[in-house]
Amino acid sequence: DIATHFDEVYFTHTNKDRPEFYITCGTYKGVPVGALSVGIGTPSMEIACNELHALFEYDHTRDVWHTPEKPINIIRLGTAGTSLRDIPLGAYAITQYSLGLDNAGVYYPVAHQSEESFQLLQALRTTSFGAVNPALYVAPAHAMVVDALQRVAGEQGAKAVKGLTTTSPGFFAAEGRQVGRLTTAFTLEEFIKEVEKFSCHGMRIVSHEMETSILFRILYEQLGYRVGALCVILDNVRSNEVISKEEYRKRMDGAIITVLSAITQLSKE
């Protein structure tokens, strides 16, 4: 779907043994762009981040690593849920910080974090999430990407909210979903209550998904790429509402344009 908006497509590739990884490259409004599918969850995203690191910085011919001379802009486009009553289905959730409820990021330590990141992490550790998983972490988006996404979404008249995103290591237990005789560390209702009351520096948890934390930790915090994320809200966990297929296609098509336009603007900065 993303590549249908390209001016031209000059490269596509999929690994038959790993079909979740599929890449298409081309141009959008004269700017070189690429779209990469990575599968589900932080393990798949971690693989993709390491591959992208090698793609941008490893010279296979000379067997040497080098630092990119120009900024690299990467935006995750996907789907997410929300637990807040005031966020409508189909809204664009723009991530300022990802709250890593997984533990993948602790294996990629960062030497220094901002005071805001530190305070977010301290607040997160006081929740049920922190009690269950002491290895959780906080990873920010690049501020330029957040600004570009918010600016373009505003120009297009799209409903967009920015804030915090929880990245879970799984779809069920990590968000309190109990199936059959299985027990979880907390219930869905407890998960929702934690989300609804959490606030730090005026930021709320606006979305839930399964990939963004490790993306931000590796590609922005460790490598310095300009990285961000925009997800279309598919469902509201609190109200149990789910977007229709027709509305989803419409909103996702608009989100694709938003992300590609943000990438175009960032390429000029």
Side-chain angles (χ1 to χ4, degrees):
D1 289 347
I2 296 175
T4 61
H5 296 276
F6 290 2
D7 304 327
E8 62 172 336
V9 173
Y10 53 73
F11 176 80
T12 61
H13 178 73
T14 185
N15 185 333
K16 293 182 180 179
D17 296 324
R18 300 295 299 274
E20 68 270 29
F21 295 104
Y22 183 87
I23 188 169
T24 300
C25 297
T27 60
Y28 179 76
K29 295 186 177 180
V31 175
V33 292
L36 171 67
S37 66
V38 300
I40 299 174
T42 52
S44 290
M45 181 61 80
E46 186 214 17
I47 293 171
C49 289
N50 277 271
E51 293 288 352
L52 286 170
H53 176 35
L55 175 67
F56 290 123
E57 301 190 27
Y58 180 63
D59 186 327
H60 290 267
T61 303
R62 296 185 296 154
D63 189 25
V64 295
W65 291 86
H66 60 88
T67 302
E69 297 180 357
K70 297 181 179 180
I72 294 172
N73 304 303
I74 296 175
I75 300 176
R76 161 164 153 67
L77 171 62
T79 58
T82 188
S83 294
L84 302 183
R85 302 176 193 273
D86 60 304
I87 297 180
L89 300 181
Y92 299 167
I94 299 171
T95 305
Q96 292 175 277
Y97 286 87
S98 181
L99 310 180
L101 306 186
D102 63 297
N103 65 356
V106 301
Y107 295 97
Y108 293 91
V110 290
H112 303 286
Q113 285 196 302
S114 69
E115 181 64 23
E116 193 168 71
S117 291
F118 176 77
Q119 291 178 9
L120 270 169
L121 180 58
Q122 293 304 103
L124 188 60
R125 283 174 172 163
T126 66
T127 66
S128 299
F129 313 140
V132 172
N133 179 13
L136 42 66
Y137 59 103
V138 170
H142 195 291
M144 289 180 64
V145 181
V146 174
D147 291 344
L149 288 170
Q150 191 171 27
R151 182 170 58 249
V152 173
E155 292 170 353
Q156 296 177 344
K159 172 62 177 177
V161 293
K162 68 177 181 178
L164 310 174
T165 295
T166 59
T167 297
S168 298
F171 181 78
F172 292 96
E175 294 183 4
R177 294 183 176 91
Q178 297 175 326
V179 178
R181 295 188 296 111
L182 296 174
T183 58
T184 56
F186 41 76
T187 66
L188 179 60
E189 186 64 27
E190 289 169 338
F191 174 84
I192 293 171
K193 287 182 178 179
E194 286 282 15
V195 169
E196 289 179 329
K197 70 182 183 182
F198 190 89
S199 178
C200 188
H201 289 282
M203 293 179 287
R204 303 181 301 162
I205 298 174
V206 299
S207 58
H208 318 305
E209 49 86 82
M210 296 170 60
E211 290 84 23
T212 299
S213 57
I214 195 64
L215 171 71
F216 288 3
R217 173 54 60 91
I218 294 176
L219 295 189
Y220 174 39
E221 289 195 283
Q222 283 222 355
L223 298 180
Y225 300 171
R226 295 173 179 173
V227 182
L230 181 151
C231 287
V232 177
I233 297 297
L234 289 189
D235 69 297
N236 189 300
V237 181
R238 161 62 75 186
S239 64
N240 205 30
E241 296 176 290
V242 180
I243 197 171
S244 68
K245 290 183 178 180
E246 295 74 17
E247 189 68 12
Y248 163 73
R249 294 191 186 98
K250 176 183 175 182
R251 298 294 183 180
M252 182 54 73
D253 197 59
I256 291 171
I257 297 298
T258 298
V259 168
L260 289 174
S261 297
I263 288 285
T264 301
Q265 289 189 13
L266 287 164
S267 71
K268 301 173 183 177
E269 298 179 5

